[in-house]
Amino acid sequence: MFGKRPTARTFMLLLFSLVVATVMIAVVLNMEMRASAHEVVLTIDDEPVTVQEFQFFLRQNKAWTTSYFKQKYNADYSEDFWTSAYEGETPLDYARQKTVQDVTRIKTEQSLMKQHGIIQDGSYASFLRDLAAENETRQEKVREGQPIYGPQQYGADSFYSYTQSMNYQRLIDTLVKQTRNSLGDEELKALYEEVKADYFHLGYAFVYEKVTASGKESFHTLNTFQELVLSEKLSVEEAIARWSPSTGVEVQKDTLDIDTRSKDDDGARYLHDVLMSTQPGEFTAIQQDAEGSMMFRLLDTRDKGYAPYEQVKASLVQLYIQKQLEQQVSQKLHDANIRINEEVLRSVSF
């Protein structure tokens, strides 16, 4: 005999039980996900880095890692790319290790920021609260028609980069105020000699000739003219004198100092860049337009020297503090007590 068919009431009870079980499973899974997000991947001098925070920085290394493996191993992105081994290197492990290095440096910088009162809290939770507050403020301004600077809404990546760089600069400014009165000329002048070529060189001025020709055959004319000058080792004036005046070649001598030109003078900036890679005696490439052709010949490059020490002293103080701060960060990185939870680290992915 067959059993009794389930009643509608029994069916509804079964359905209700299934729904309740599904909800409970979803709640448990959500609690587990939240718990795992707050698990600690590593601590840096007792500063914890949670899975949520570590994943944030890990995602920033995704493009870097794919580019690295493409360049080093010609590895193309595929479904199993992150777990494939390339001569012993696995992309996901590489990205994790790079993220450990990045996070360690950032937390080290933030510890110095806290030490000097620039920030109170360097946790990721604090960052997320600041991000939400900043975006809410911007939305209010948009609704009220008030001007805002920058984006209407910050993404997490751009806001973290912005706040970190701003706080680092505030740290430098604070250290400058604390230190500048105690810095003597001896330290600063030594630094000036060390960095002046990179920071305080005034550039070059160029003495050149502009050589032009008109007519349909102007490009060919200047090309032949250039060959004559170089093969016979003539000046432009000597070459013009040797040629028949009917060729229409003309020369104009001038000096270019980019610091005396308007910032909007694109032609002068283009010529400056060209002459920077030209040796005295060489011609530039021939340029042609509807009226004719022209080229330039560099005669002399004049070094303008360096900005004087007294003029750049304030900048030197900034540079001095930057270098001191970099040394501090490097020392703290060297001495940092880093404890990694390897099991949690291996569980973190994109």
Side-chain angles (χ1 to χ4, degrees):
M1 293 181 61
F2 296 96
K4 294 182 179 180
R5 295 178 63 185
T7 64
R9 184 172 182 274
T10 303
F11 179 79
M12 291 299 293
L13 286 172
L14 288 171
L15 181 61
F16 178 74
S17 298
L18 180 62
V19 170
V20 170
T22 302
V23 170
M24 290 181 66
I25 290 171
V27 169
V28 170
L29 287 174
N30 186 48
M31 290 175 65
E32 288 181 352
M33 288 176 65
R34 289 186 178 184
S36 65
H38 290 87
E39 280 188 292
V40 174
V41 181
L42 71 158
T43 57
I44 305 157
D45 292 332
D46 298 324
E47 181 74 23
V49 177
T50 64
V51 168
Q52 184 186 27
E53 183 172 11
F54 193 85
Q55 282 181 319
F56 170 75
F57 291 105
L58 183 68
R59 287 192 295 271
Q60 294 180 9
N61 282 322
K62 194 171 187 178
W64 173 277
T65 303
T66 55
S67 175
Y68 169 82
F69 276 83
K70 178 63 178 177
Q71 292 179 13
K72 188 171 182 179
Y73 302 112
N74 196 29
D76 292 318
Y77 192 85
S78 61
E79 187 175 342
D80 59 350
F81 169 78
W82 294 106
T83 55
S84 298
Y86 300 91
E87 296 183 18
E89 279 195 299
T90 304
L92 184 53
D93 287 337
Y94 175 87
R96 287 170 181 155
Q97 291 305 314
K98 185 176 187 312
T99 302
V100 169
Q101 294 171 7
D102 293 347
V103 171
T104 301
R105 183 172 187 87
I106 288 168
K107 292 301 179 184
T108 299
E109 292 175 352
Q110 288 176 351
S111 72
L112 287 169
M113 293 173 191
K114 285 196 286 185
Q115 180 181 326
H116 290 278
I118 305 302
I119 62 174
Q120 301 301 317
D121 187 350
S123 70
Y124 190 64
S126 176
F127 161 73
L128 291 177
R129 290 193 296 270
D130 291 344
L131 173 62
E134 177 68 25
N135 281 336
E136 177 58 31
T137 299
R138 287 173 176 270
Q139 280 300 292
E140 287 180 8
K141 288 185 176 181
V142 169
R143 289 192 293 268
E144 295 171 4
Q146 297 180 22
I148 59 173
Y149 301 97
Q152 291 187 3
Q153 290 279 279
Y154 269 111
D157 288 0
S158 58
F159 189 66
Y160 201 104
S161 176
Y162 169 74
T163 54
Q164 181 72 6
S165 62
M166 290 295 291
N167 286 333
Y168 194 81
Q169 185 57 52
R170 287 174 60 200
L171 175 59
I172 291 174
D173 294 342
T174 298
L175 294 174
V176 167
K177 290 178 182 177
Q178 295 173 354
T179 311
R180 63 186 170 195
N181 291 333
S182 62
L183 277 176
D185 285 334
E186 184 177 351
E187 297 101 323
L188 292 179
K189 284 183 177 179
L191 178 61
Y192 174 75
E193 293 300 326
E194 178 187 338
V195 303
K196 66 180 182 181
D198 293 325
Y199 290 95
F200 305 123
H201 188 245
L202 296 174
Y204 301 92
F206 303 98
V207 182
Y208 66 93
E209 293 171 318
K210 178 182 179 182
V211 187
T212 59
S214 57
K216 294 182 179 179
E217 298 297 320
S218 60
F219 185 92
H220 174 72
T221 299
L222 287 188
N223 193 50
T224 305
F225 181 81
Q226 182 182 139
E227 291 176 357
L228 173 64
V229 170
L230 296 177
S231 62
E232 298 293 332
K233 297 182 179 179
L234 302 173
S235 68
V236 171
E237 289 85 354
E238 290 171 335
I240 291 176
R242 182 175 297 188
W243 270 28
S244 169
S246 61
T247 57
V249 177
E250 296 181 355
V251 62
Q252 178 183 351
K253 187 176 179 180
D254 205 347
T255 299
L256 175 63
D257 183 347
I258 197 64
D259 293 330
T260 64
R261 300 297 183 94
S262 166
K263 292 182 179 180
D264 299 325
D265 192 339
D266 294 333
R269 294 194 170 276
Y270 171 77
L271 180 57
H272 175 271
D273 293 343
V274 170
L275 295 178
M276 277 291 294
S277 57
T278 305
Q279 296 298 316
E282 291 181 348
F283 286 96
T284 65
I286 300 171
Q287 303 171 38
Q288 191 172 24
D289 58 27
E291 297 181 358
S293 300
M294 69 176 176
M295 61 184 178
F296 301 91
R297 190 187 196 193
L298 180 61
L299 298 178
D300 187 26
T301 299
R302 297 176 180 173
D303 191 332
K304 295 164 61 179
Y306 304 100
Y309 167 76
E310 291 296 337
Q311 185 177 324
V312 299
K313 193 171 180 178
S315 298
L316 282 167
V317 174
Q318 279 267 337
L319 283 171
Y320 183 89
I321 295 302
Q322 280 180 247
K323 285 181 173 290
Q324 292 293 309
L325 183 55
E326 287 167 6
Q327 290 176 9
Q328 273 189 274
V329 171
S330 295
Q331 188 61 49
K332 283 182 71 67
L333 284 171
H334 180 269
D335 298 337
N337 180 18
I338 303 169
R339 298 191 301 277
I340 300 175
N341 188 329
E342 294 290 348
E343 184 178 353
V344 176
L345 178 64
R346 287 193 297 271
S347 72
V348 181
S349 186
F350 295 106

